[in-house]
């Protein structure tokens, strides 16, 4: 049984809205996980050398196969408006597509520099789609860092695909969000065991796995940062199934339950299918809970996973949330998680990094979740931190990953506890 919802959740908690300096990565980061997922797609960033360096260092590994992303570098003469960037871009794309017949979907990804010179990538994508159809479909979206956070890149990418999807009148379930294939397979297996077999995923692994949507499409989100995609699907007539996000044993069960209710699944079958994996998840979470229970946590706004994770950590791992910051608060998406998160923490939206650092230092939570740029200074001040970006790069959804998700938060606390006895010796040695 799930624990009852709190008498007073965070649904009506006043939100502290901040509009100051931010400390986040830009949306180009999403290419790192999207290019792995979409096996015949190519992401061509139209940007500067800075953008190319970001991608290269975020990718973190050498690429031995043909890469599925690259950067068309805007040189100084492009930025000064001396060259016809559209013509150069056409030439780059022609060269790429003639060399790489395996590419079936090409994304032109906008950046700060391409937006500064107002390079119209939408027009470019339309022109190239006509030229390279039917073999290649060319789309565009923005990964620019201005006023965005890194998970918005995936949202913008998926939203750009929605208008191009075919139409259907069939009742089908669409799972929305890029998960590692192995985790997606687990979700599909659970749904199949519940008798739900007309299921598709956005993004699909290959462009030939044609997706179609219509008024009888229902969709479940896998990530809480897909606000634009949610809006685009709704405009096409599809209907969202609201649910807590599938993090932890409880979150996964409630997410599956919402879909099962929509498809009229027999409650006995639901209990039978979920009992064993759910028990495994609870056992795995309990191992990390020994470390997490009774500890406090403070979230800087970064991945947009903050509210569902605070729900998981407070309800399943015994933690206390002090502040839960999110870059954006999409209530249509986060409503069920907010209702389950017990009243108490400050809920903040947006960022004014200096003010928030002051609050975090005053709170001195046992664990602070933040971006890479803030983690090192806070660690140097003796605070335990967790990098928010790891939560997006690590498989954390559904029952089989629930223990790993809890362990991600337990690890920095365990490390700190192990190092604590050594701290006086280390200080003396300095
Ligand atoms: S898109 Fe903007 S923020 Fe991102 S790497 Fe390029 S210049 Fe930097």
């Amino acid at each position: 049984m799930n624990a009852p919802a709190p008498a007073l959740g965070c649904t009506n908690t006043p939100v502290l809205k901040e509009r100051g300096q931010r400390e986040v990565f830009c949306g180009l980061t999403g290419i790192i996980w999207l290019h792995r997922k979409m096996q015949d797609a190519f992401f061509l960033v139209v940007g500067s050398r800075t953008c190319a360096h970001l991608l290269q260092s975020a990718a973190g590994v050498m690429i031995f196969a043909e890469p599925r992303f690259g950067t068309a570098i805007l040189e100084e003469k492009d930025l000064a408006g001396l060259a016809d960037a559209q013509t150069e871009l056409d030439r780059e794309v022609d060269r790429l597509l003639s060399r790489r017949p395996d590419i079936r979907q090409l994304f032109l990804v906008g950046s700060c520099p391409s937006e500064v010179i107002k390079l119209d990538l939408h027009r470019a994508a339309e022109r190239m789609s006509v030229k390279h159809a039917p073999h290649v479909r060319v789309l565009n979206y923005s990964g620019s860092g201005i006023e965005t956070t890194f998970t918005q890149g995936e949202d913008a990418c998926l939203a750009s695909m929605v208008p191009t999807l075919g139409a259907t009148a069939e009742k089908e379930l669409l799972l929305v969000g890029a998960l590692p294939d192995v985790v997606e397979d687990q979700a599909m297996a659970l749904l199949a065991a519940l008798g739900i077999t007309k299921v598709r995923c956005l993004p699909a692994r290959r462009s030939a796995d044609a997706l179609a949507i219509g008024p009888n499409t229902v969709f479940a989100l896998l990530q809480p940062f897909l606000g634009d995609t949610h809006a685009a699907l709704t405009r096409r007539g599809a209907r969202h199934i609201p649910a807590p996000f599938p993090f932890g044993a409880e979150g996964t069960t409630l997410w599956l339950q919402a879909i099962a209710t929509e498809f009229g699944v027999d409650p006995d079958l639901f209990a039978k299918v979920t009992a064993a994996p759910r028990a495994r998840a609870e056992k795995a979470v309990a191992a990390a809970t020994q470390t997490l229970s009774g500890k406090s946590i403070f979230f800087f706004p970064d991945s947009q996973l903050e509210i569902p994770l605070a729900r998981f950590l407070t309800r399943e791992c015994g933690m206390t949330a002090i502040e839960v910051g999110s870059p954006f608060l999409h209530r249509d998406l986060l409503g069920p998680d907010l209702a389950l998160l017990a009243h108490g923490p400050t809920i903040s939206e947006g960022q004014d990094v200096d003010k928030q650092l002051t609050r975090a230092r005053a709170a001195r939570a046992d664990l602070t979740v933040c971006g890479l740029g803030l983690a090192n200074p806070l660690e140097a001040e003796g605070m335990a931190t967790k990098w928010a970006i790891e939560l997006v790069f690590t498989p954390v959804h559904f029952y089989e990953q629930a223990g790993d998700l809890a362990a991600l938060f337990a690890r920095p606390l365990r490390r700190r506890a192990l190092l604590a006895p050594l701290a006086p010796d280390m200080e003396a040695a300095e």
Side-chain angles (χ1 to χ4, degrees), residues 100-122:
R100 295 284 302 274
D102 55 306
I103 297 172
R104 304 301 305 270
Q105 294 184 83
L106 174 67
F107 291 94
L108 305 177
V109 188
S111 65
C112 306
S114 72
E115 286 178 10
V116 166
I117 63 165
K118 301 206 182 320
L119 188 55
D120 188 345
L121 292 183
H122 186 65

Side-chain angles (χ1 to χ4, degrees), residues 26 28 48 50-51 54 110-113 143-146:
C26 69
L28 296 187
S48 63
T50 310
C51 309
L54 173 99
S111 65
C112 306
S144 148
I146 301 168

